[in-house]
Amino acid sequence: MSDAVILTLNAGSSSIKFAVYAQGDEPALRASGQVENLSPTQQTRLIVERDGDEQVTNIDANDHAGALDAILDKADHLFGGATVAGVGHRIVHGGTEFVAPTELTPEAIAALRTLEPLAPLHQPHNLDCVEAAIAAFPDAAQIACFDTAFHRTHPFVNDTFALPRQWFDEGVRRYGFHGLSYDYITSEIVRTEPSLAHGRVVIAHLGNGASMCAVKDGRSVGSTMGFTALDGLPMGTRCGQIDPGVLLYMMQHKGMNADQIADLLYRQSGLKGLSGLTHDMRTLEQSDDPQAREAIDYFVFRIRRELGGMSAVLSGLDALVFTGGIGENSARVRREVCSGMDWLCIAVDEAKNVENAHDIGTGRVRVMVVPTNEELVMARAVSAALSASH
Ligand code: ADP
């Protein structure tokens, strides 16, 4: 067993993030990295980190298969002669059928392809990478880990829209995403703060994609994301919550077609659309443009609204956890989200906040900063699947 490793893959349209773990009861990280600029028009790069050392190589690849070939070229460095026993894939959408890590058989892949319209930014790339990985590692177990699975414990009222029933029955529901991140944060809370294991917790995953999750007794009872990963908080380039009447107006009075609206909502909106500058929070924070300020104000405003709503749904609050690139690093966003929240027993120690300390709260409600680790959740799932098959 000790000479087997687990590879995790998280594929986007122009990147693959990966990590290598030694197999064990708790998988141990050996190396990580990413292939970036995966497109015919850009110089693709492979970045590998191992033992604190980072290697950057220009590579010749413009699709997922080419990227995996480049990773295989580094097999000695990455795997140290060990066999890749299992590959964990981040799959953004599992629909109603896939509620736990699943072996990627041809039937499962075909079923997951039918969900591509529900997550057009992610699902096709996730599955292209699965097919490339099956070719590259034909003897390894290929395990899908779903961003929707953690939310399948939602009560009906949090899963449904107020549409005629047939729509719910055919799968038009609130699925919720970022489940691997919420799974990890919840496991960390149970490990490090046992008193919160049965508590009422709101987790804010704030990155380029952003959502919040209400957790009770370690299970998701609500998420800001809905049928697709567009709903809820504004994101880097996605609009978040929007009145569906706006879409009707665009179609009926502005002559926009579905592709144009999709491009607007997925790629031109959010922080980028509001600021007119960039999707990147760090850059917005450094800007003195008033529209940058307004974009951050709107981001914070929506988080505060959702925090209030989720606290009501949970009948109170015991902890607020920040994670994701913005949640882990932006003292300003955390400060502004928490300011004037003493009515909810939330208060923040600013000295700890600027240090991104683990515990930044001073009120009854714990306020925590917990770096997420979606790769470890995938490695754990692959390890469990491998153990079960022996
Ligand atoms: P993804 O959803 O693509 O995984 P990340 O979780 O990496 O995204 O988050 C990226 C976001 O985090 C970007 O908006 C980036 O500007 C922001 N971010 C990273 N570091 C900081 C920082 N020190 N201050 C403010 N924002 C930051």
Side-chain angles (χ1 to χ4, degrees), residues 16 18 32-36 45-49 54-57 59 78:
I16 299 182
F18 62 88
S32 62
Q34 64 175 310
V35 176
E36 61 178 29
R45 304 194 315 159
L46 170 64
I47 301 163
V48 173
E49 284 181 48
E54 185 180 273
Q55 285 184 6
V56 182
T57 324
I59 59 170
L78 282 170

Side-chain angles (χ1 to χ4, degrees), residues 189-269:
I189 289 174
V190 171
R191 189 180 69 81
T192 62
E193 320 281 343
S195 64
L196 287 174
H198 296 288
R200 299 157 298 182
V201 180
V202 170
I203 307 170
H205 177 109
L206 310 176
N208 284 319
S211 72
M212 291 164 70
C213 181
V215 175
K216 176 88 175 59
D217 292 329
R219 292 152 73 99
S220 172
V221 296
S223 160
T224 58
M225 278 185 170
F227 177 57
T228 65
L230 264 185
D231 202 4
L233 303 178
M235 303 172 223
T237 63
R238 284 172 261 170
C239 60
Q241 190 275 331
I242 190 167
D243 176 349
V246 173
L247 313 187
L248 296 176
Y249 172 77
M250 288 172 176
M251 285 187 285
Q252 292 169 337
H253 300 285
K254 292 289 172 182
M256 291 173 72
N257 64 31
D259 287 344
Q260 289 168 319
I261 293 177
D263 184 59
L264 180 76
L265 302 184
Y266 276 102
R267 296 188 181 85
Q268 312 298 338
S269 298

Side-chain angles (χ1 to χ4, degrees), residues 141-348:
Q142 308 280 339
I143 306 295
C145 304
F146 300 100
D147 264 321
T148 45
F150 186 71
H151 301 292
R152 295 285 48 81
T153 47
H154 284 183
F156 173 75
V157 288
N158 246 321
D159 253 8
T160 194
F161 300 103
L163 292 169
R165 205 57 189 233
Q166 82 220 39
W167 292 97
F168 180 83
D169 294 341
E170 74 173 57
V172 179
R173 306 175 182 201
R174 284 182 221 277
Y175 290 96
F177 298 89
H178 288 138
L180 300 177
S181 177
Y182 295 129
D183 190 333
Y184 175 76
I185 300 293
T186 306
S187 73
E188 273 301 279
I189 289 174
V190 171
R191 189 180 69 81
T192 62
E193 320 281 343
S195 64
L196 287 174
H198 296 288
R200 299 157 298 182
V201 180
V202 170
I203 307 170
H205 177 109
L206 310 176
N208 284 319
S211 72
M212 291 164 70
C213 181
V215 175
K216 176 88 175 59
D217 292 329
R219 292 152 73 99
S220 172
V221 296
S223 160
T224 58
M225 278 185 170
F227 177 57
T228 65
L230 264 185
D231 202 4
L233 303 178
M235 303 172 223
T237 63
R238 284 172 261 170
C239 60
Q241 190 275 331
I242 190 167
D243 176 349
V246 173
L247 313 187
L248 296 176
Y249 172 77
M250 288 172 176
M251 285 187 285
Q252 292 169 337
H253 300 285
K254 292 289 172 182
M256 291 173 72
N257 64 31
D259 287 344
Q260 289 168 319
I261 293 177
D263 184 59
L264 180 76
L265 302 184
Y266 276 102
R267 296 188 181 85
Q268 312 298 338
S269 298
L271 296 173
K272 179 181 170 189
L274 269 178
S275 68
L277 295 170
T278 172
H279 68 280
D280 187 77
M281 179 60 83
R282 200 171 358 188
T283 312
L284 290 175
E285 288 189 357
Q286 287 158 1
S287 166
D288 42 24
D289 189 310
Q291 290 191 182
R293 162 82 263 171
E294 284 172 351
I296 299 173
D297 284 351
Y298 183 73
F299 186 70
V300 167
F301 165 73
R302 295 300 314 194
I303 297 168
R304 289 166 62 90
R305 262 183 77 144
E306 297 290 353
L307 177 60
M310 286 184 161
S311 301
V313 166
L314 289 167
S315 304
L317 188 66
D318 299 307
L320 168 63
V321 183
F322 288 97
T323 191
I326 299 170
E328 292 164 29
N329 297 298
S330 173
R332 173 171 166 182
V333 166
R334 292 192 301 258
R335 179 190 319 122
E336 293 183 8
V337 166
C338 294
S339 81
M341 282 278 177
D342 10 349
W343 64 276
L344 200 50
C345 303
I346 287 177
V348 159

